[in-house]
Amino acid sequence: MSIIKHTLPLSAAAIVLTVASIAGPSYLQTQSAAASTSAVAETPAAETPTAAETPAAPEAQTPTEAPTDAASQTDIFNPRPVARTPEQLLQLLGERIKAKDIEGIIALHEPEAAIVDWDLSVIRGHEAIRNFYVGWFNLNPELTVNARQTVATGGWRGWDGVVRQRTASIMGDYSLAQDGTAGGPRVSFTGNFCDTVEEQLDGTWLYVLDNPYPPHGGGTPAAASHH
């Protein structure tokens, strides 16, 4: 784009100068004020947003309340108790047998744990143990266990001097009452047990072997379904 320069003829310039000289400073001030007023009039005023255009302030958010569902609180904040000693492990097993809490019982066993059944067969693994308890609970058992001796040994000593992953034997006696098989009368008897439990890396204890029929006296254990 070319720029066109506008110049006044010398005669016109002279006329302007002459008028300015005659009018004096007051004329010049008046013209300057008029020019300023015109400039202000031509300058667009800053637009003030209307109420409809003004963004509304964000509403205060009410804090979300914690869930009050008792079951969810139990799962999140109150997980199942764990055993920190072999004695606690035996106690938890007894409580969960009484409550017929099969999944709670499974949680107390290592994945490859085993149970010795009344015929001395060995039940291995979580799934087989679960099936065993489902069948046994159909007999409405009432079990009382008395631990007589607990011996923890083995494991390894860490840099802090603490021995970890120990193995323990829990020995004692029990009494059991349950419904008879095939609709027979309710039966009761006593026996001895020798269980093997193991300490985990996190310091909790789990069952390795639940043995309610350890050999003793060369006899054959009485027919029963558990302990």
Side-chain angles (χ1 to χ4, degrees), residues 17-199:
L17 289 175
T18 302
V19 172
S21 300
I22 296 173
S26 60
Y27 173 81
L28 295 176
Q29 292 175 356
T30 302
Q31 293 299 316
S32 175
S36 299
T37 303
S38 176
V40 170
E42 293 177 357
T43 302
E47 296 183 358
T48 302
T50 63
E53 296 175 346
T54 303
E59 296 182 359
Q61 296 183 352
T62 303
T64 304
E65 296 182 357
T68 57
D69 181 77
S72 64
Q73 290 181 354
T74 299
D75 293 338
I76 298 173
F77 302 110
N78 298 304
R80 292 183 185 276
V82 296
R84 294 291 176 180
T85 65
E87 293 81 6
Q88 289 178 357
L89 182 60
L90 181 64
Q91 178 184 349
L92 287 175
L93 180 62
E95 292 173 354
R96 295 178 188 183
I97 287 176
K98 184 177 181 179
K100 296 184 178 180
D101 179 6
I102 294 178
E103 294 309 313
I105 293 170
I106 297 300
L108 298 177
H109 292 73
E110 288 190 355
E112 297 301 321
I115 296 174
V116 177
D117 205 351
W118 66 271
D119 59 358
L120 303 185
S121 61
V122 180
I123 301 164
R124 300 179 186 275
H126 279 183
E127 191 60 31
I129 293 173
R130 181 181 288 104
N131 293 336
F132 168 80
Y133 273 98
V134 168
W136 186 46
F137 284 155
N138 289 331
L139 301 178
N140 299 311
E142 294 180 9
L143 176 67
T144 302
V145 175
N146 303 300
R148 304 297 183 186
Q149 184 181 41
T150 300
V151 179
T153 188
W156 52 274
R157 189 177 300 276
W159 61 270
D160 54 359
V162 177
V163 180
R164 295 176 172 83
Q165 287 190 288
R166 295 167 292 169
T167 301
S169 294
I170 308 174
M171 294 160 279
D173 55 70
Y174 62 88
S175 60
L176 172 65
Q178 64 183 32
D179 295 344
T181 58
R186 194 164 179 82
V187 296
S188 60
F189 49 88
T190 61
N192 299 312
F193 70 91
C194 181
D195 294 346
T196 305
V197 298
E198 188 172 50
E199 186 180 20

